[in-house]
Amino acid sequence: GAQFKPDSTNAVASPTFFQCPDGSPPLDEESIFNTFSIEDIMDSFNKDRSMNIVQTFESRVTHLLGSLRSKLVQGHVTVELYAGIVKPLSERDGHDIVKFIAAKVKPYSIGWSNVIDYMPLDKLHELGRAMSSHGDVAHY
């Protein structure tokens, strides 16, 4: 497994563990501290004071990544990746991925990251509604 070094030479950032609990606002900045709730980290830190807060975080991430790896190896988790260009619906073409997501993927949640930096809000909302046509979807 990966070992974390205090000088951050092989630090790992994983969107796998970025959390967005119900009702949370969009993340202003993505950072190590957005990956767990502070209560979770402090609970672990208070149980083992031999580690500092960064080591506590690294220990939890290493454990969770190991758990995820085991589930993947055992076939208990499937990861599906789809790539496509998402364009506003007002454009003539380029909507295959939107149709595919709505009809086949039927997501529980969609993370838009910085798409809003490249598209007007009303166009983004149209895309969100189109990809959510199957039911209730949380958008972040």
PDB file of all heavy atoms in Angstrom, residues 42-76:
ATOM      1  N   MET A  42     -11.718  13.986  14.414  1.00  0.00           N
ATOM      2  CA  MET A  42     -11.427  14.257  15.830  1.00  0.00           C
ATOM      3  C   MET A  42     -11.721  13.046  16.706  1.00  0.00           C
ATOM      4  O   MET A  42     -11.013  12.793  17.678  1.00  0.00           O
ATOM      5  CB  MET A  42     -12.217  15.478  16.317  1.00  0.00           C
ATOM      6  CG  MET A  42     -11.731  16.795  15.714  1.00  0.00           C
ATOM      7  SD  MET A  42      -9.944  17.075  15.875  1.00  0.00           S
ATOM      8  CE  MET A  42      -9.769  17.163  17.654  1.00  0.00           C
ATOM      9  N   ASP A  43     -12.740  12.275  16.360  1.00  0.00           N
ATOM     10  CA  ASP A  43     -13.035  11.054  17.108  1.00  0.00           C
ATOM     11  C   ASP A  43     -11.851  10.088  17.036  1.00  0.00           C
ATOM     12  O   ASP A  43     -11.407   9.551  18.043  1.00  0.00           O
ATOM     13  CB  ASP A  43     -14.308  10.410  16.559  1.00  0.00           C
ATOM     14  CG  ASP A  43     -14.747   9.211  17.375  1.00  0.00           C
ATOM     15  OD1 ASP A  43     -14.805   9.327  18.618  1.00  0.00           O
ATOM     16  OD2 ASP A  43     -15.031   8.156  16.765  1.00  0.00           O
ATOM     17  N   SER A  44     -11.329   9.906  15.832  1.00  0.00           N
ATOM     18  CA  SER A  44     -10.156   9.031  15.668  1.00  0.00           C
ATOM     19  C   SER A  44      -8.935   9.616  16.364  1.00  0.00           C
ATOM     20  O   SER A  44      -8.169   8.900  17.010  1.00  0.00           O
ATOM     21  CB  SER A  44      -9.844   8.838  14.184  1.00  0.00           C
ATOM     22  OG  SER A  44     -10.883   8.143  13.551  1.00  0.00           O
ATOM     23  N   PHE A  45      -8.749  10.925  16.236  1.00  0.00           N
ATOM     24  CA  PHE A  45      -7.601  11.594  16.858  1.00  0.00           C
ATOM     25  C   PHE A  45      -7.651  11.455  18.375  1.00  0.00           C
ATOM     26  O   PHE A  45      -6.635  11.166  19.012  1.00  0.00           O
ATOM     27  CB  PHE A  45      -7.605  13.070  16.454  1.00  0.00           C
ATOM     28  CG  PHE A  45      -6.515  13.887  17.086  1.00  0.00           C
ATOM     29  CD1 PHE A  45      -5.192  13.712  16.712  1.00  0.00           C
ATOM     30  CD2 PHE A  45      -6.817  14.839  18.041  1.00  0.00           C
ATOM     31  CE1 PHE A  45      -4.182  14.474  17.285  1.00  0.00           C
ATOM     32  CE2 PHE A  45      -5.818  15.604  18.622  1.00  0.00           C
ATOM     33  CZ  PHE A  45      -4.502  15.423  18.241  1.00  0.00           C
ATOM     34  N   ASN A  46      -8.823  11.624  18.953  1.00  0.00           N
ATOM     35  CA  ASN A  46      -8.962  11.531  20.410  1.00  0.00           C
ATOM     36  C   ASN A  46      -8.780  10.107  20.925  1.00  0.00           C
ATOM     37  O   ASN A  46      -8.388   9.909  22.074  1.00  0.00           O
ATOM     38  CB  ASN A  46     -10.306  12.089  20.860  1.00  0.00           C
ATOM     39  CG  ASN A  46     -10.344  13.596  20.757  1.00  0.00           C
ATOM     40  OD1 ASN A  46      -9.335  14.275  20.934  1.00  0.00           O
ATOM     41  ND2 ASN A  46     -11.512  14.137  20.442  1.00  0.00           N
ATOM     42  N   LYS A  47      -9.038   9.109  20.102  1.00  0.00           N
ATOM     43  CA  LYS A  47      -8.848   7.711  20.505  1.00  0.00           C
ATOM     44  C   LYS A  47      -7.380   7.321  20.511  1.00  0.00           C
ATOM     45  O   LYS A  47      -6.977   6.405  21.217  1.00  0.00           O
ATOM     46  CB  LYS A  47      -9.629   6.777  19.566  1.00  0.00           C
ATOM     47  CG  LYS A  47     -11.112   6.814  19.787  1.00  0.00           C
ATOM     48  CD  LYS A  47     -11.826   5.892  18.812  1.00  0.00           C
ATOM     49  CE  LYS A  47     -13.334   6.002  19.023  1.00  0.00           C
ATOM     50  NZ  LYS A  47     -14.071   5.297  17.980  1.00  0.00           N
ATOM     51  N   ASP A  48      -6.573   7.978  19.658  1.00  0.00           N
ATOM     52  CA  ASP A  48      -5.151   7.636  19.569  1.00  0.00           C
ATOM     53  C   ASP A  48      -4.346   8.921  19.460  1.00  0.00           C
ATOM     54  O   ASP A  48      -4.130   9.435  18.368  1.00  0.00           O
ATOM     55  CB  ASP A  48      -4.898   6.742  18.355  1.00  0.00           C
ATOM     56  CG  ASP A  48      -3.444   6.305  18.231  1.00  0.00           C
ATOM     57  OD1 ASP A  48      -2.611   6.713  19.082  1.00  0.00           O
ATOM     58  OD2 ASP A  48      -3.142   5.561  17.285  1.00  0.00           O
ATOM     59  N   ARG A  49      -3.901   9.427  20.600  1.00  0.00           N
ATOM     60  CA  ARG A  49      -3.163  10.694  20.637  1.00  0.00           C
ATOM     61  C   ARG A  49      -1.686  10.529  20.280  1.00  0.00           C
ATOM     62  O   ARG A  49      -0.927  11.481  20.355  1.00  0.00           O
ATOM     63  CB  ARG A  49      -3.285  11.336  22.029  1.00  0.00           C
ATOM     64  CG  ARG A  49      -4.652  11.855  22.377  1.00  0.00           C
ATOM     65  CD  ARG A  49      -4.961  13.045  21.479  1.00  0.00           C
ATOM     66  NE  ARG A  49      -6.192  13.693  21.862  1.00  0.00           N
ATOM     67  CZ  ARG A  49      -6.282  14.965  22.171  1.00  0.00           C
ATOM     68  NH1 ARG A  49      -5.223  15.737  22.162  1.00  0.00           N
ATOM     69  NH2 ARG A  49      -7.454  15.484  22.471  1.00  0.00           N
ATOM     70  N   SER A  50      -1.282   9.306  19.867  1.00  0.00           N
ATOM     71  CA  SER A  50       0.121   9.116  19.479  1.00  0.00           C
ATOM     72  C   SER A  50       0.387   9.701  18.089  1.00  0.00           C
ATOM     73  O   SER A  50       1.535   9.858  17.691  1.00  0.00           O
ATOM     74  CB  SER A  50       0.486   7.629  19.493  1.00  0.00           C
ATOM     75  OG  SER A  50      -0.209   6.931  18.472  1.00  0.00           O
ATOM     76  N   MET A  51      -0.662  10.007  17.346  1.00  0.00           N
ATOM     77  CA  MET A  51      -0.520  10.579  16.005  1.00  0.00           C
ATOM     78  C   MET A  51      -1.024  12.016  16.005  1.00  0.00           C
ATOM     79  O   MET A  51      -1.957  12.345  16.740  1.00  0.00           O
ATOM     80  CB  MET A  51      -1.331   9.772  14.992  1.00  0.00           C
ATOM     81  CG  MET A  51      -0.882   8.339  14.815  1.00  0.00           C
ATOM     82  SD  MET A  51      -1.767   7.478  13.493  1.00  0.00           S
ATOM     83  CE  MET A  51      -3.380   7.249  14.235  1.00  0.00           C
ATOM     84  N   ASN A  52      -0.423  12.833  15.133  1.00  0.00           N
ATOM     85  CA  ASN A  52      -0.956  14.181  14.970  1.00  0.00           C
ATOM     86  C   ASN A  52      -2.156  14.119  14.034  1.00  0.00           C
ATOM     87  O   ASN A  52      -2.509  13.045  13.516  1.00  0.00           O
ATOM     88  CB  ASN A  52       0.130  15.162  14.497  1.00  0.00           C
ATOM     89  CG  ASN A  52       0.626  14.860  13.088  1.00  0.00           C
ATOM     90  OD1 ASN A  52      -0.106  14.416  12.216  1.00  0.00           O
ATOM     91  ND2 ASN A  52       1.921  15.110  12.879  1.00  0.00           N
ATOM     92  N   ILE A  53      -2.799  15.247  13.783  1.00  0.00           N
ATOM     93  CA  ILE A  53      -4.050  15.257  13.015  1.00  0.00           C
ATOM     94  C   ILE A  53      -3.831  14.809  11.571  1.00  0.00           C
ATOM     95  O   ILE A  53      -4.664  14.117  10.996  1.00  0.00           O
ATOM     96  CB  ILE A  53      -4.734  16.645  13.097  1.00  0.00           C
ATOM     97  CG1 ILE A  53      -6.195  16.557  12.675  1.00  0.00           C
ATOM     98  CG2 ILE A  53      -3.995  17.684  12.296  1.00  0.00           C
ATOM     99  CD1 ILE A  53      -7.092  15.991  13.710  1.00  0.00           C
ATOM    100  N   VAL A  54      -2.709  15.168  10.979  1.00  0.00           N
ATOM    101  CA  VAL A  54      -2.413  14.748   9.599  1.00  0.00           C
ATOM    102  C   VAL A  54      -2.175  13.239   9.546  1.00  0.00           C
ATOM    103  O   VAL A  54      -2.689  12.551   8.659  1.00  0.00           O
ATOM    104  CB  VAL A  54      -1.220  15.531   9.014  1.00  0.00           C
ATOM    105  CG1 VAL A  54      -0.811  14.975   7.657  1.00  0.00           C
ATOM    106  CG2 VAL A  54      -1.557  17.007   8.907  1.00  0.00           C
ATOM    107  N   GLN A  55      -1.427  12.711  10.508  1.00  0.00           N
ATOM    108  CA  GLN A  55      -1.205  11.270  10.559  1.00  0.00           C
ATOM    109  C   GLN A  55      -2.516  10.522  10.792  1.00  0.00           C
ATOM    110  O   GLN A  55      -2.729   9.450  10.228  1.00  0.00           O
ATOM    111  CB  GLN A  55      -0.210  10.937  11.663  1.00  0.00           C
ATOM    112  CG  GLN A  55       1.184  11.411  11.366  1.00  0.00           C
ATOM    113  CD  GLN A  55       2.088  11.351  12.583  1.00  0.00           C
ATOM    114  OE1 GLN A  55       1.644  11.556  13.709  1.00  0.00           O
ATOM    115  NE2 GLN A  55       3.363  11.076  12.346  1.00  0.00           N
ATOM    116  N   THR A  56      -3.391  11.089  11.610  1.00  0.00           N
ATOM    117  CA  THR A  56      -4.710  10.487  11.839  1.00  0.00           C
ATOM    118  C   THR A  56      -5.486  10.421  10.537  1.00  0.00           C
ATOM    119  O   THR A  56      -6.059   9.392  10.186  1.00  0.00           O
ATOM    120  CB  THR A  56      -5.497  11.288  12.892  1.00  0.00           C
ATOM    121  OG1 THR A  56      -4.763  11.306  14.114  1.00  0.00           O
ATOM    122  CG2 THR A  56      -6.866  10.694  13.136  1.00  0.00           C
ATOM    123  N   PHE A  57      -5.493  11.523   9.804  1.00  0.00           N
ATOM    124  CA  PHE A  57      -6.162  11.558   8.503  1.00  0.00           C
ATOM    125  C   PHE A  57      -5.564  10.517   7.563  1.00  0.00           C
ATOM    126  O   PHE A  57      -6.289   9.749   6.928  1.00  0.00           O
ATOM    127  CB  PHE A  57      -6.052  12.956   7.888  1.00  0.00           C
ATOM    128  CG  PHE A  57      -6.572  13.011   6.486  1.00  0.00           C
ATOM    129  CD1 PHE A  57      -7.923  13.163   6.254  1.00  0.00           C
ATOM    130  CD2 PHE A  57      -5.715  12.875   5.404  1.00  0.00           C
ATOM    131  CE1 PHE A  57      -8.412  13.185   4.957  1.00  0.00           C
ATOM    132  CE2 PHE A  57      -6.199  12.902   4.109  1.00  0.00           C
ATOM    133  CZ  PHE A  57      -7.554  13.058   3.887  1.00  0.00           C
ATOM    134  N   GLU A  58      -4.235  10.490   7.471  1.00  0.00           N
ATOM    135  CA  GLU A  58      -3.562   9.542   6.580  1.00  0.00           C
ATOM    136  C   GLU A  58      -3.892   8.104   6.951  1.00  0.00           C
ATOM    137  O   GLU A  58      -4.112   7.263   6.073  1.00  0.00           O
ATOM    138  CB  GLU A  58      -2.054   9.771   6.613  1.00  0.00           C
ATOM    139  CG  GLU A  58      -1.645  11.070   5.977  1.00  0.00           C
ATOM    140  CD  GLU A  58      -0.182  11.405   6.183  1.00  0.00           C
ATOM    141  OE1 GLU A  58       0.498  10.746   7.007  1.00  0.00           O
ATOM    142  OE2 GLU A  58       0.296  12.340   5.525  1.00  0.00           O
ATOM    143  N   SER A  59      -3.944   7.817   8.227  1.00  0.00           N
ATOM    144  CA  SER A  59      -4.273   6.473   8.693  1.00  0.00           C
ATOM    145  C   SER A  59      -5.682   6.083   8.272  1.00  0.00           C
ATOM    146  O   SER A  59      -5.921   4.965   7.796  1.00  0.00           O
ATOM    147  CB  SER A  59      -4.128   6.414  10.218  1.00  0.00           C
ATOM    148  OG  SER A  59      -4.547   5.170  10.705  1.00  0.00           O
ATOM    149  N   ARG A  60      -6.622   7.002   8.431  1.00  0.00           N
ATOM    150  CA  ARG A  60      -8.013   6.713   8.049  1.00  0.00           C
ATOM    151  C   ARG A  60      -8.145   6.517   6.540  1.00  0.00           C
ATOM    152  O   ARG A  60      -8.831   5.618   6.079  1.00  0.00           O
ATOM    153  CB  ARG A  60      -8.949   7.818   8.525  1.00  0.00           C
ATOM    154  CG  ARG A  60      -9.030   7.850  10.035  1.00  0.00           C
ATOM    155  CD  ARG A  60     -10.281   8.371  10.645  1.00  0.00           C
ATOM    156  NE  ARG A  60     -11.504   8.328   9.907  1.00  0.00           N
ATOM    157  CZ  ARG A  60     -12.419   7.355  10.018  1.00  0.00           C
ATOM    158  NH1 ARG A  60     -12.197   6.322  10.806  1.00  0.00           N
ATOM    159  NH2 ARG A  60     -13.539   7.425   9.358  1.00  0.00           N
ATOM    160  N   VAL A  61      -7.483   7.370   5.759  1.00  0.00           N
ATOM    161  CA  VAL A  61      -7.546   7.244   4.300  1.00  0.00           C
ATOM    162  C   VAL A  61      -6.936   5.924   3.848  1.00  0.00           C
ATOM    163  O   VAL A  61      -7.504   5.216   3.016  1.00  0.00           O
ATOM    164  CB  VAL A  61      -6.854   8.437   3.602  1.00  0.00           C
ATOM    165  CG1 VAL A  61      -6.671   8.179   2.118  1.00  0.00           C
ATOM    166  CG2 VAL A  61      -7.652   9.708   3.813  1.00  0.00           C
ATOM    167  N   THR A  62      -5.786   5.584   4.399  1.00  0.00           N
ATOM    168  CA  THR A  62      -5.127   4.321   4.044  1.00  0.00           C
ATOM    169  C   THR A  62      -6.034   3.138   4.366  1.00  0.00           C
ATOM    170  O   THR A  62      -6.181   2.215   3.559  1.00  0.00           O
ATOM    171  CB  THR A  62      -3.781   4.193   4.775  1.00  0.00           C
ATOM    172  OG1 THR A  62      -2.950   5.306   4.405  1.00  0.00           O
ATOM    173  CG2 THR A  62      -3.075   2.904   4.410  1.00  0.00           C
ATOM    174  N   HIS A  63      -6.658   3.165   5.530  1.00  0.00           N
ATOM    175  CA  HIS A  63      -7.576   2.086   5.923  1.00  0.00           C
ATOM    176  C   HIS A  63      -8.772   2.014   4.967  1.00  0.00           C
ATOM    177  O   HIS A  63      -9.142   0.922   4.502  1.00  0.00           O
ATOM    178  CB  HIS A  63      -8.053   2.300   7.358  1.00  0.00           C
ATOM    179  CG  HIS A  63      -9.162   1.388   7.754  1.00  0.00           C
ATOM    180  ND1 HIS A  63      -8.958   0.058   8.061  1.00  0.00           N
ATOM    181  CD2 HIS A  63     -10.506   1.601   7.871  1.00  0.00           C
ATOM    182  CE1 HIS A  63     -10.118  -0.515   8.342  1.00  0.00           C
ATOM    183  NE2 HIS A  63     -11.066   0.411   8.233  1.00  0.00           N
ATOM    184  N   LEU A  64      -9.370   3.155   4.675  1.00  0.00           N
ATOM    185  CA  LEU A  64     -10.549   3.161   3.794  1.00  0.00           C
ATOM    186  C   LEU A  64     -10.202   2.773   2.363  1.00  0.00           C
ATOM    187  O   LEU A  64     -10.978   2.072   1.700  1.00  0.00           O
ATOM    188  CB  LEU A  64     -11.241   4.521   3.843  1.00  0.00           C
ATOM    189  CG  LEU A  64     -11.939   4.819   5.169  1.00  0.00           C
ATOM    190  CD1 LEU A  64     -12.413   6.268   5.208  1.00  0.00           C
ATOM    191  CD2 LEU A  64     -13.097   3.871   5.386  1.00  0.00           C
ATOM    192  N   LEU A  65      -9.052   3.221   1.868  1.00  0.00           N
ATOM    193  CA  LEU A  65      -8.634   2.807   0.527  1.00  0.00           C
ATOM    194  C   LEU A  65      -8.376   1.308   0.480  1.00  0.00           C
ATOM    195  O   LEU A  65      -8.705   0.640  -0.503  1.00  0.00           O
ATOM    196  CB  LEU A  65      -7.387   3.582   0.082  1.00  0.00           C
ATOM    197  CG  LEU A  65      -7.616   5.029  -0.327  1.00  0.00           C
ATOM    198  CD1 LEU A  65      -6.280   5.734  -0.564  1.00  0.00           C
ATOM    199  CD2 LEU A  65      -8.489   5.114  -1.564  1.00  0.00           C
ATOM    200  N   GLY A  66      -7.793   0.755   1.548  1.00  0.00           N
ATOM    201  CA  GLY A  66      -7.584  -0.695   1.628  1.00  0.00           C
ATOM    202  C   GLY A  66      -8.903  -1.442   1.622  1.00  0.00           C
ATOM    203  O   GLY A  66      -9.050  -2.474   0.963  1.00  0.00           O
ATOM    204  N   SER A  67      -9.878  -0.909   2.354  1.00  0.00           N
ATOM    205  CA  SER A  67     -11.201  -1.520   2.382  1.00  0.00           C
ATOM    206  C   SER A  67     -11.859  -1.474   1.005  1.00  0.00           C
ATOM    207  O   SER A  67     -12.431  -2.463   0.543  1.00  0.00           O
ATOM    208  CB  SER A  67     -12.071  -0.787   3.412  1.00  0.00           C
ATOM    209  OG  SER A  67     -13.382  -1.277   3.399  1.00  0.00           O
ATOM    210  N   LEU A  68     -11.751  -0.326   0.337  1.00  0.00           N
ATOM    211  CA  LEU A  68     -12.310  -0.201  -1.013  1.00  0.00           C
ATOM    212  C   LEU A  68     -11.612  -1.156  -1.975  1.00  0.00           C
ATOM    213  O   LEU A  68     -12.264  -1.830  -2.770  1.00  0.00           O
ATOM    214  CB  LEU A  68     -12.187   1.239  -1.503  1.00  0.00           C
ATOM    215  CG  LEU A  68     -12.676   1.515  -2.914  1.00  0.00           C
ATOM    216  CD1 LEU A  68     -14.162   1.159  -3.062  1.00  0.00           C
ATOM    217  CD2 LEU A  68     -12.436   2.968  -3.287  1.00  0.00           C
ATOM    218  N   ARG A  69     -10.289  -1.245  -1.876  1.00  0.00           N
ATOM    219  CA  ARG A  69      -9.536  -2.161  -2.744  1.00  0.00           C
ATOM    220  C   ARG A  69      -9.995  -3.599  -2.536  1.00  0.00           C
ATOM    221  O   ARG A  69     -10.207  -4.344  -3.495  1.00  0.00           O
ATOM    222  CB  ARG A  69      -8.035  -2.048  -2.465  1.00  0.00           C
ATOM    223  CG  ARG A  69      -7.206  -2.935  -3.361  1.00  0.00           C
ATOM    224  CD  ARG A  69      -5.714  -2.857  -3.020  1.00  0.00           C
ATOM    225  NE  ARG A  69      -4.934  -3.653  -3.914  1.00  0.00           N
ATOM    226  CZ  ARG A  69      -4.829  -4.973  -3.878  1.00  0.00           C
ATOM    227  NH1 ARG A  69      -5.487  -5.661  -2.980  1.00  0.00           N
ATOM    228  NH2 ARG A  69      -4.086  -5.631  -4.743  1.00  0.00           N
ATOM    229  N   SER A  70     -10.173  -4.010  -1.293  1.00  0.00           N
ATOM    230  CA  SER A  70     -10.630  -5.374  -1.003  1.00  0.00           C
ATOM    231  C   SER A  70     -11.988  -5.635  -1.621  1.00  0.00           C
ATOM    232  O   SER A  70     -12.223  -6.699  -2.209  1.00  0.00           O
ATOM    233  CB  SER A  70     -10.711  -5.600   0.507  1.00  0.00           C
ATOM    234  OG  SER A  70      -9.437  -5.579   1.083  1.00  0.00           O
ATOM    235  N   LYS A  71     -12.889  -4.670  -1.510  1.00  0.00           N
ATOM    236  CA  LYS A  71     -14.227  -4.827  -2.090  1.00  0.00           C
ATOM    237  C   LYS A  71     -14.164  -4.919  -3.605  1.00  0.00           C
ATOM    238  O   LYS A  71     -14.900  -5.682  -4.222  1.00  0.00           O
ATOM    239  CB  LYS A  71     -15.129  -3.677  -1.647  1.00  0.00           C
ATOM    240  CG  LYS A  71     -15.480  -3.756  -0.179  1.00  0.00           C
ATOM    241  CD  LYS A  71     -16.263  -2.546   0.278  1.00  0.00           C
ATOM    242  CE  LYS A  71     -16.521  -2.655   1.771  1.00  0.00           C
ATOM    243  NZ  LYS A  71     -17.128  -1.454   2.334  1.00  0.00           N
ATOM    244  N   LEU A  72     -13.271  -4.131  -4.217  1.00  0.00           N
ATOM    245  CA  LEU A  72     -13.105  -4.202  -5.667  1.00  0.00           C
ATOM    246  C   LEU A  72     -12.573  -5.567  -6.088  1.00  0.00           C
ATOM    247  O   LEU A  72     -13.083  -6.186  -7.020  1.00  0.00           O
ATOM    248  CB  LEU A  72     -12.149  -3.102  -6.149  1.00  0.00           C
ATOM    249  CG  LEU A  72     -12.713  -1.694  -6.203  1.00  0.00           C
ATOM    250  CD1 LEU A  72     -11.596  -0.680  -6.357  1.00  0.00           C
ATOM    251  CD2 LEU A  72     -13.712  -1.559  -7.337  1.00  0.00           C
ATOM    252  N   VAL A  73     -11.539  -6.046  -5.396  1.00  0.00           N
ATOM    253  CA  VAL A  73     -10.924  -7.338  -5.717  1.00  0.00           C
ATOM    254  C   VAL A  73     -11.932  -8.475  -5.550  1.00  0.00           C
ATOM    255  O   VAL A  73     -11.966  -9.417  -6.340  1.00  0.00           O
ATOM    256  CB  VAL A  73      -9.661  -7.561  -4.848  1.00  0.00           C
ATOM    257  CG1 VAL A  73      -9.166  -8.991  -4.945  1.00  0.00           C
ATOM    258  CG2 VAL A  73      -8.563  -6.584  -5.249  1.00  0.00           C
ATOM    259  N   GLN A  74     -12.777  -8.387  -4.527  1.00  0.00           N
ATOM    260  CA  GLN A  74     -13.776  -9.416  -4.268  1.00  0.00           C
ATOM    261  C   GLN A  74     -14.997  -9.301  -5.182  1.00  0.00           C
ATOM    262  O   GLN A  74     -15.883 -10.150  -5.147  1.00  0.00           O
ATOM    263  CB  GLN A  74     -14.224  -9.351  -2.805  1.00  0.00           C
ATOM    264  CG  GLN A  74     -13.125  -9.686  -1.825  1.00  0.00           C
ATOM    265  CD  GLN A  74     -13.503  -9.339  -0.389  1.00  0.00           C
ATOM    266  OE1 GLN A  74     -14.621  -8.954  -0.097  1.00  0.00           O
ATOM    267  NE2 GLN A  74     -12.540  -9.479   0.519  1.00  0.00           N
ATOM    268  N   GLY A  75     -15.053  -8.256  -5.993  1.00  0.00           N
ATOM    269  CA  GLY A  75     -16.175  -8.076  -6.908  1.00  0.00           C
ATOM    270  C   GLY A  75     -17.428  -7.507  -6.261  1.00  0.00           C
ATOM    271  O   GLY A  75     -18.506  -7.588  -6.835  1.00  0.00           O
ATOM    272  N   HIS A  76     -17.275  -6.912  -5.080  1.00  0.00           N
ATOM    273  CA  HIS A  76     -18.428  -6.333  -4.388  1.00  0.00           C
ATOM    274  C   HIS A  76     -18.719  -4.900  -4.805  1.00  0.00           C
ATOM    275  O   HIS A  76     -19.759  -4.350  -4.447  1.00  0.00           O
ATOM    276  CB  HIS A  76     -18.227  -6.382  -2.869  1.00  0.00           C
ATOM    277  CG  HIS A  76     -18.160  -7.776  -2.345  1.00  0.00           C
ATOM    278  ND1 HIS A  76     -17.291  -8.141  -1.340  1.00  0.00           N
ATOM    279  CD2 HIS A  76     -18.817  -8.903  -2.690  1.00  0.00           C
ATOM    280  CE1 HIS A  76     -17.438  -9.432  -1.085  1.00  0.00           C
ATOM    281  NE2 HIS A  76     -18.354  -9.914  -1.903  1.00  0.00           N
TER     282      HIS A  76
END
